[in-house]
């Protein structure tokens, strides 16, 4: 039986959420910025440690806050499925401190408002646009220590433009999810063979 893992990808406008997702799934990157105005769902499949999983990746448009209740979630079409996602990828632009403040706010609201045990839900903070690191607002180590030590979340930096660490961030998230017992009781070895393409699955 194929299990489904729902992943909500959230971030401020222009941080590169959609570019990261499309690079992972289609090995595609566009220089043209197109704002995400509605929620979009991608459904790739991966093979993880010999088991197949269907991923439901929610590309969430910028939201003013994490929905505090099921009724609020269903009143706003952009938030459908966000509260009960199995895992979260919170994306910020390493050159934009405001986008990091947004991620900080959303993470805190997930902890406060998510249904079930919020301490167990996998959250991966992703610093995007690593190719512009000379313009970053703070050293990588400062953010990494805060995210890993204080927030107890995973942390990865990537560049969708150059397809750098894009696969790694999804491997990291799936590793956290499995490691916390969401799908099985041990952390698997993860292999990747080839890029994820339409109507194909990735071996991870």
């Amino acid at each position: 039986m194929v299990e489904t893992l729902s992943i909500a990808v959230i971030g401020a406008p222009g941080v590169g959420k959609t570019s990261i997702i499309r690079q992972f799934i289609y090995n595609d990157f566009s220089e043209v910025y197109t704002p995400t105005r509605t929620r979009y769902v991608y459904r790739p499949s991966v093979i993880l440690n010999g088991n197949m999983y269907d991923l439901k990746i929610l590309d969430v448009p910028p939201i003013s806050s994490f929905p505090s209740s099921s009724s609020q979630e269903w009143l706003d079409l952009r938030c459908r499925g966000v509260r009960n996602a199995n895992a979260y990828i919170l994306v910020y632009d390493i050159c934009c401190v405001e986008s990091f403040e947004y991620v900080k706010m959303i993470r805190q609201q997930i902890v406060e408002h998510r249904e079930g045990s919020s301490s167990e839900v996998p959250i991966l903070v992703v610093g995007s646009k690593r190719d512009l690191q000379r313009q970053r607002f703070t050293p990588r180590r400062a953010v990494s220590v805060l995210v890993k030590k204080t927030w107890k979340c995973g942390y990865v930096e990537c560049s969708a433009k150059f397809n750098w660490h894009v696969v790694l961030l999804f491997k990291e998230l799936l590793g956290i999810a499995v490691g916390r017992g969401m799908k099985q009781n041990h952390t698997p070895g993860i292999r990747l063979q080839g890029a994820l393409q339409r109507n194909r699955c990735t071996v991870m």
Side-chain angles (χ1 to χ4, degrees):
M1 180 179 177
V2 178
E3 296 185 84
T4 299
L5 183 68
S6 176
I7 302 170
V9 185
I10 304 173
V15 297
K17 294 183 293 85
T18 304
S19 293
I20 290 170
I21 296 170
R22 292 189 62 84
Q23 183 63 271
F24 175 63
I25 298 176
Y26 304 124
N27 195 28
D28 171 65
F29 177 81
S30 173
E31 295 279 1
V32 179
Y33 171 58
T34 304
T36 303
R37 304 192 187 282
T38 60
R39 189 193 67 141
Y40 194 86
V41 180
Y42 297 84
R43 294 183 178 273
S45 296
V46 298
I47 296 175
L48 179 65
N49 201 38
N51 298 312
M52 178 173 281
Y53 299 93
D54 288 333
L55 301 186
K56 180 181 179 183
I57 302 177
L58 309 177
D59 186 358
V60 182
I63 51 179
S64 58
S65 62
F66 187 84
S68 59
S69 66
S70 296
S71 58
Q72 181 183 347
E73 177 184 37
W74 285 96
L75 283 172
D76 189 342
L77 292 175
R78 298 172 301 173
C79 296
R80 295 282 173 88
V82 168
R83 276 175 61 80
N84 61 355
N86 299 119
Y88 297 90
I89 295 176
L90 306 183
V91 183
Y92 79 97
D93 177 349
I94 66 170
C95 306
C96 178
V97 66
E98 291 82 7
S99 69
F100 184 74
E101 292 298 324
Y102 177 85
V103 160
K104 184 187 297 185
M105 175 192 74
I106 293 294
R107 187 209 68 91
Q108 184 60 36
Q109 292 173 351
I110 290 173
V111 171
E112 294 173 356
H113 300 308
R114 187 182 183 278
E115 293 179 341
S117 177
S118 58
S119 63
E120 292 300 315
V121 64
I123 299 176
L124 181 69
V125 175
V126 174
S128 71
K129 306 185 183 181
R130 177 62 188 270
D131 48 292
L132 302 177
Q133 66 170 332
R134 291 190 177 184
Q135 301 172 37
R136 64 189 313 146
F137 63 84
T138 193
R140 179 188 186 282
R141 178 172 173 75
V143 178
S144 179
V145 169
L146 172 65
V147 172
K148 291 181 177 180
K149 302 296 185 182
T150 305
W151 295 0
K152 308 300 182 186
C153 298
Y155 183 71
V156 172
E157 291 189 354
C158 74
S159 168
K161 182 175 182 178
F162 294 104
N163 198 13
W164 188 77
H165 280 186
V166 172
V167 170
L168 176 66
L169 75 88
F170 283 93
K171 287 170 62 177
E172 181 82 5
L173 183 68
L174 291 170
I176 294 172
V178 173
R180 292 189 181 183
M182 293 185 62
K183 296 300 173 186
Q184 56 195 70
N185 295 322
H186 65 281
T187 303
I190 301 176
R191 291 187 301 120
L192 179 75
Q193 295 179 348
L196 197 64
Q197 298 178 14
R198 191 185 303 271
N199 298 324
R200 288 183 56 190
C201 69
T202 291
V203 179
M204 303 185 79

